[in-house]
Amino acid sequence: MTIELVIGQNTPIDASLAYQLSLEAEGWAIGALVKKSGVYTSLNNEAGVNLVKQSLYLNLQDAHSTLEEILIYCEQGPAAKPLIHATLITSLTGEQVIACSSGNIDTQLQVLEAIHIYFKNGQWKIKSFFQGYSGGKQALFQAKSLTQHTPFATATSAPLNTPTPPTPGVPISAKLTWSASCAEHFDTSSAYLGSEFSALSSLNFFCLYILKSGQRGVIYGADEHTQGSLEGIPYCKTLTNADKGESELLFNSAYSHKMFKYIICAEITEGSRCWKDTQVQLAIHLDNQLTHCNIDSALHTPFYVLGSIEIIGTQATLKRIDQYFHSPADIASAVGFSRA
C-alpha cells in the first residue's frame, strides 16, 4: 500500500531496505545536500547515497554513522512546470511505498527544498517539505551555512569522515544479439503474432539475483520498472535496442563485494516461433574472459537459461545450465531460487 504524504508530513522508513526516490520534475534541476555531524555539504561520493539525474538511490545500511540528513532540492529552469511529484520505491521489489506532490508552485520560488530524509530518535524518516526560496540556490546554501562556490571538498580541506570509494571488482557483462527481421527466415503465418502482422523478433534478458545480504529479486528487461539499476540494488541493469537486435546486461563492478549470484536468462518476447528463427547469440564477458553461446533450439519455449554467475571475493565463475523453460516459475523451481 502506498502512503500519500501531504506537505509537512513525515513517515518512518525501513533502513534495512534499499530505495529509489524518483522525482517527476519537468524543467527542474535536481540536487542534494547531506548533513553529517551537524554540517551540510553538497552530495559528493557519499556511501549509500547516489543521485543520478532525477532519481536518488538510497541504501542506508551502507551510510556513514555520522549521516543525519539527505536534503533533495529542485532548482527552477526556464521551462519548469509548476508541479513536482515524488515517489519512493523499494529497489528489491519495485513496490511504490510513499508518494507526495508539491501542489501548484509559486513561480517566484527559484529553489525548493523538496524532500528531507533524516535520522531522528533512532529512526530514519522521509518528509514531504516543498518549501522554497525566491533568492535561488544561493539563498538555500546561505540558509544551510554552505557557500555556493565551495560545496565540495578541496585537496587541503576534506569533509569529516569522507568515505573511501569502493575498489573496482570483477568486470562482468553480457550481450544478447539477434536478427530483428525474423520474417526473412521463416513463414510468418506460424509466428506468435499471426499472419496479419510483420514478424519482428524482440529478445531481452531475464535475470534472477541473490545478493550477499540475502536480498533477492528479478531483473526483467521488457519492463522499464524492473530493468535493474547500476547505482542501487541489484547493481545490474539491462539495456535493449530492439531495432538493432541487441540487449545488454551490465554490472557495476564497484559493488562486486555485495553481489553473490545472478541467474542469466534470455526471453523471446514476440515475433518468433523458436530460438533458431532469431539467429541469436549470447556473449558473456567474465573476469576478462569471453564466452560465446549460440542459442539455436527448435523448441517452442520462450525462456533460455545460460547459467549462474557467482561472485565470491575477487573471483567470478559461470556455472552452465543450458536449458529451456516455459515460465519464470519453472526456472525458479529448477534452479532452487526460492530455497537458495
Side-chain angles (χ1 to χ4, degrees), residues 44-125:
N44 180 35
N45 192 31
E46 183 69 36
V49 186
N50 199 298
L51 182 65
V52 181
K53 295 182 179 178
Q54 292 197 335
S55 289
L56 180 81
Y57 295 90
L58 186 65
N59 194 341
L60 292 169
Q61 295 181 95
D62 291 344
H64 198 278
S65 60
T66 59
L67 182 65
E68 302 168 11
E69 182 184 354
I70 303 144
L71 187 159
I72 308 300
Y73 66 85
C74 305
E75 183 177 14
Q76 186 176 169
K81 299 292 185 181
L83 179 67
I84 296 173
H85 185 70
T87 55
L88 186 72
I89 65 172
T90 57
S91 298
L92 181 62
T93 64
E95 178 188 5
Q96 180 176 302
V97 290
I98 295 168
C100 56
S101 294
S102 64
N104 196 45
I105 300 170
D106 186 339
T107 57
Q108 299 300 312
L109 300 179
Q110 298 300 304
V111 167
L112 291 179
E113 292 184 36
I115 304 294
H116 293 179
I117 300 169
Y118 59 96
F119 187 73
K120 187 174 182 179
N121 297 328
Q123 194 168 41
W124 280 96
K125 298 182 178 183

Side-chain angles (χ1 to χ4, degrees), residues 92 209-216 340:
L92 181 62
Y209 67 83
I210 306 171
L211 303 181
K212 285 187 172 70
S213 65
Q215 290 182 319
R216 65 193 65 206

Side-chain angles (χ1 to χ4, degrees), residues 122-160:
Q123 194 168 41
W124 280 96
K125 298 182 178 183
I126 183 170
K127 185 174 186 178
S128 172
F129 198 76
F130 293 111
Q131 301 295 315
Y133 303 82
S134 59
K137 190 160 59 175
Q138 182 66 40
L140 167 64
F141 287 176
Q142 287 178 351
K144 305 302 176 184
S145 300
L146 186 153
T147 61
Q148 186 169 5
H149 301 293
T150 57
F152 299 111
T154 65
T156 57
S157 179
L160 294 174

